[in-house]
Amino acid sequence: MATKRYIVNGTLQTTLTPDNVSTQKVKVDKGGTLVGTRQEINLIEGSNVTLTVADNSGSDRVDVTVAAAATPPTNMASKTTADLTYYVDSDVGSDSNDGLAAGVGHAFLTIQKAVDSIPDVVNHLVTINLASCTAKYAGFYMQNKLLGSKVAQGTNYTITIQGEYKAATKQGTMSGTMDSGTTKVITDADAGWLDDMRGLVVYVNSTYYLIRSNTASTIEIVGVHGTSLSGAYVIYDFGSVINTNISHNGYYASVGIRNCKGPRGFYSAVKLSKMSVTPPDSGGSVQGISAPGSDVFLDHVSVNLSSLTTVTNHAGINIIDACNVRIEDCFSGNCTVGTASAAITVSQVTVIRALSRTLAYGCPWGINILGLGTFIQEFNNVHADNNSVYGILLQRFRDIIAGSCYINGNVTTNTNTLGLYCHSVTGTIVLTAGTIESNKHGILIGASDPTATVIEPYGVGSYILRGSIIVRNNTVSALSVVGNQLVKVSTMTGANATTGAYGIYVREGTKVFITSGTTVSGDTGKDVYMDGTSFTYAADFAANGDAVVNTELATVVKRIDG
């Protein structure tokens, strides 16, 4: 066999030995396509890639290890890593600032800039501070914030947007003492207050109180408080005012909060505090504060709708489809247009933690609570004044564990067509104290017009009216109950002596049980009206067990003491 020979560097050889001395060229392809032929390959670390290179002389090679870090998705939600505080100033701020301190060169100009700076997932406390300013703040919109996702820590996380009061311009010393009781009035004979201060706050004895009404020398505050007040007082107006609207989903709002919730069982919320919202007319439906799908806490917030002129339905505060809601020490109202414009509407909410020390004023509808599974924990010291159709409307509660409404405070309705109206209720409503006065109907359960010839069914409800309930000076009836309802009345008092007015008015399938302490009267001989016939307490319900029954319509009024 012939012997193979090789020519290496001009020399004829019978064997081929690897050349580890001379430098050879290497062809480099990418995807099968030649990129270049060179003596050296240079490896470069790219983004999220780490190279480890070692000369392995024993194996006659160079070892290259490539480590690639996982690349996060570009749409991953951002999260807080610590508490955050931003500052906004509509006088001297700029949205090109960092917002991390107050004043010139630091504060943001707009609330929207601060809101947009909040991460998607809020695992810590976030605070936005609004300075008291001459210039008004522009409206803002917040959406899709997950609040308090670290449920294992048992901590509730909240986004707080808080304003400031103006420097005090009205102050003085009370004349005498404001005693605890059903009405709280601060008197200063030398004050000379000429303007309407409804919805502002008065600070006395280390506490802020919402003003219900005033004269030149008196201030009535919202709610009933258990302590006497005396000494110096200060009246504050709001220094942080939002007065422009944003447009979203077919309506306008000055404050929009959408889909900002925490986990069930934890009270995480977006909290608004110490601010005034005065939305302008925008040619369509306007909401001062709109919070669909959001857990919110409103504390010392005033919403004034007096600038709205477009004839459509508006809302001062509108909260829908939430887990947790609190409204405390708030004012909403002053809307004269629209047949169903409401000062406050809360609907389809799992739990209303509190609706307390709040005034709904001067709208067609005062407070509208649409149940569908709502449970109210606290309904205290609520006033609904001078609303043209409804003072307080409770509708569509269901008879399930989370479908009962317990009204356990002082609910005052004044000069509304219907004071407290319970509509389409199949749950339980308990009213333990309140003053219902100067309405067409004081408390109305069932149909909106109990005098109608044909009464439509409006749910089967259970109502307990007990405690210090005063129903007086209502022009048609103090209490009207119509259509398959069960009502227990204990210690309800009040004179409704207007010509033709009734004390208790019942029709068609209603069962009403009263006690000896019930003396809510009507016009002469009209203490109780049942299916076309009038009765009096003295003649027809003089003793325990006295009853009037309409067997044909299954209507019963019976006195049960004890």
Side-chain angles (χ1 to χ4, degrees):
M1 172 183 275
T3 302
K4 290 183 178 181
R5 288 176 171 78
Y6 307 90
I7 297 175
V8 179
N9 295 327
T11 304
L12 187 64
Q13 299 179 177
T14 56
T15 60
L16 185 61
T17 303
D19 184 0
N20 286 333
V21 178
S22 61
T23 303
Q24 307 297 312
K25 290 185 177 182
V26 178
K27 292 178 20 178
V28 179
D29 291 358
K30 179 181 180 182
T33 300
L34 179 65
V35 176
T37 302
R38 295 287 181 254
Q39 294 179 344
E40 179 178 308
I41 298 175
N42 181 36
L43 303 178
I44 301 173
E45 293 179 337
S47 177
N48 297 317
V49 175
T50 302
L51 298 178
T52 302
V53 183
D55 186 9
N56 189 341
S57 58
S59 299
D60 196 21
R61 69 190 182 204
V62 176
D63 293 329
V64 180
T65 301
V66 180
T71 303
T74 56
N75 61 348
M76 178 174 285
S78 57
K79 300 180 181 180
T80 60
T81 58
D83 291 351
L84 292 174
T85 301
Y86 294 113
Y87 296 84
V88 185
D89 191 312
S90 58
D91 285 340
V92 301
S94 170
D95 284 348
S96 62
N97 292 335
D98 60 16
L100 298 179
V104 177
H106 298 285
F108 291 138
L109 174 66
T110 66
I111 305 171
Q112 190 65 59
K113 175 62 176 179
V115 165
D116 292 343
S117 302
I118 300 173
D120 303 313
V121 180
V122 178
N123 286 334
H124 302 81
L125 296 177
V126 176
T127 303
I128 298 175
N129 291 309
L130 311 181
S132 175
C133 295
T134 301
K136 306 299 190 290
Y137 286 92
F140 69 91
Y141 185 73
M142 178 191 300
Q143 65 177 338
N144 300 331
K145 302 296 183 185
L146 179 59
L147 310 176
S149 63
K150 290 187 177 180
V151 295
Q153 294 184 1
T155 303
N156 301 327
Y157 298 99
T158 299
I159 297 173
T160 299
I161 304 176
Q162 60 186 17
E164 294 178 341
Y165 294 124
K166 288 182 180 179
T169 57
K170 300 175 183 177
Q171 51 196 328
T173 302
M174 294 170 54
S175 304
T177 300
M178 182 175 70
D179 295 326
S180 58
T182 57
T183 302
K184 286 281 200 174
V185 176
I186 293 174
T187 300
D188 184 349
D190 300 322
W193 297 309
L194 300 179
D195 50 339
D196 184 356
M197 298 187 293
R198 182 180 289 108
L200 304 185
V201 294
V202 57
Y203 181 79
V204 58
N205 291 177
S206 303
T207 302
Y208 292 96
Y209 297 97
L210 183 67
I211 296 176
R212 182 186 184 190
S213 62
N214 70 281
T215 67
S217 59
T218 63
I219 293 175
E220 181 182 348
I221 65 175
V222 169
V224 176
H225 303 270
T227 59
S228 298
L229 302 177
S230 61
Y233 67 85
V234 181
I235 298 171
Y236 288 102
D237 198 351
F238 295 91
S240 304
V241 180
I242 300 172
N243 77 333
T244 67
N245 293 331
I246 55 172
S247 176
H248 190 76
N249 286 349
Y251 64 88
Y252 299 91
S254 295
V255 176
I257 304 170
R258 187 179 185 88
N259 295 332
C260 297
K261 286 185 177 181
R264 289 181 180 271
F266 288 79
Y267 186 49
S268 304
V270 177
K271 179 180 178 182
L272 306 180
S273 179
K274 293 183 180 180
M275 66 179 65
S276 175
V277 180
T278 59
D281 192 80
S282 297
S285 181
V286 173
Q287 298 176 15
I289 298 173
S290 174
S294 298
D295 296 341
V296 293
F297 178 11
L298 306 182
D299 172 48
H300 286 93
V301 173
S302 173
V303 181
N304 193 325
L305 305 177
S306 60
S307 296
L308 303 184
T309 58
T310 300
V311 181
T312 187
N313 291 326
H314 308 283
I317 299 168
N318 186 31
I319 303 170
I320 182 172
D321 189 24
C323 292
N324 297 291
V325 171
R326 296 184 75 95
I327 302 175
E328 296 180 325
D329 299 287
C330 292
F331 167 83
S332 182
N334 287 328
C335 180
T336 59
V337 295
T339 58
S341 295
I344 300 172
T345 292
V346 181
S347 61
Q348 302 176 45
V349 172
T350 303
V351 180
I352 299 178
R353 301 283 183 179
L355 180 53
S356 303
R357 300 180 303 278
T358 289
L359 171 61
Y361 178 85
C363 293
W365 294 17
I367 297 173
N368 173 32
I369 301 178
L370 175 62
L372 298 180
T374 297
F375 176 75
I376 302 179
Q377 286 188 335
E378 181 182 349
F379 198 96
N380 259 330
N381 293 322
V382 176
H383 296 258
D385 294 348
N386 297 324
N387 301 288
S388 59
V389 182
Y390 303 118
I392 299 173
L393 172 59
L394 305 177
Q395 55 179 327
R396 298 183 186 176
F397 285 84
R398 295 294 182 251
D399 192 13
I400 58 177
I401 292 176
S404 295
C405 170
Y406 295 94
I407 303 176
N408 58 6
N410 294 275
V411 181
T412 301
T413 58
N414 180 271
T415 61
N416 310 284
T417 299
L418 303 178
L420 172 61
Y421 178 31
C422 303
H423 168 282
S424 297
V425 173
T426 56
T428 300
I429 296 180
V430 178
L431 177 63
T432 59
T435 300
I436 318 291
E437 61 183 334
S438 302
N439 306 282
K440 181 178 180 181
H441 297 282
I443 300 174
L444 178 58
I445 298 172
S448 60
D449 183 4
T451 64
T453 302
V454 178
I455 300 297
E456 298 295 331
Y458 279 89
V460 181
S462 176
Y463 305 85
I464 301 173
L465 309 177
R466 68 188 180 201
S468 179
I469 304 172
I470 302 171
V471 186
R472 64 192 176 199
N473 301 330
N474 300 284
T475 60
V476 176
S477 70
L479 168 65
S480 288
V481 187
V482 180
N484 207 20
Q485 314 291 337
L486 173 62
V487 180
K488 298 179 180 179
V489 183
S490 173
T491 322
M492 178 184 287
T493 61
N496 298 270
T498 303
T499 301
Y502 295 94
I504 298 177
Y505 185 105
V506 298
R507 284 185 62 187
E508 299 191 11
T510 291
K511 296 175 177 59
V512 176
F513 300 96
I514 62 178
T515 68
S516 60
T518 299
T519 59
V520 53
S521 61
D523 194 7
T524 303
K526 296 184 177 182
D527 294 337
V528 177
Y529 171 94
M530 188 176 74
D531 295 325
T533 304
S534 298
F535 305 92
T536 65
Y537 296 121
D540 303 289
F541 304 98
N544 181 33
D546 285 353
V548 177
V549 180
N550 185 326
T551 56
E552 181 180 353
L553 297 178
T555 307
V556 177
V557 177
K558 184 176 183 178
R559 174 172 163 179
I560 300 177
D561 297 341

